[in-house]
Amino acid sequence: MSFTDKAKAKAQEMTGLAKERIGDATDNQRMQAEGAREQRAAHDRQREAGRDVKDAFEK
């Protein structure tokens, strides 16, 4: 995973966290869910990149 990809994933994670917290503060369930979904997508992206690196070294 390149530095740019890591930065994009981290930005997505932080955006999701902010949305989730704003949703908590305003009792907006839709925003809470959207924030949680963005955070999961960012974590999945990072996890997938880690597997790609691991697979490359195993071969």
Side-chain angles (χ1 to χ4, degrees), residues 5-54:
D5 292 337
K6 287 181 185 179
K8 286 180 184 178
K10 191 63 169 176
Q12 182 181 18
E13 180 182 351
M14 298 309 292
T15 301
L17 181 61
K19 284 183 179 181
E20 188 175 18
R21 288 195 177 163
I22 290 170
D24 286 340
T26 60
D27 199 29
N28 184 334
Q29 292 179 348
R30 190 175 128 239
M31 188 171 275
Q32 288 173 331
E34 187 177 325
R37 188 172 37 247
E38 285 188 25
Q39 288 181 67
R40 279 192 306 273
H43 285 282
D44 290 345
R45 182 186 295 171
Q46 291 171 345
R47 203 172 310 126
E48 183 66 33
R51 277 189 238 136
D52 290 345
V53 170
K54 181 182 173 186

Side-chain angles (χ1 to χ4, degrees), residues 2-3 7 15 31 50 56-57:
S2 71
F3 175 77
T15 301
M31 188 171 275
F57 280 108

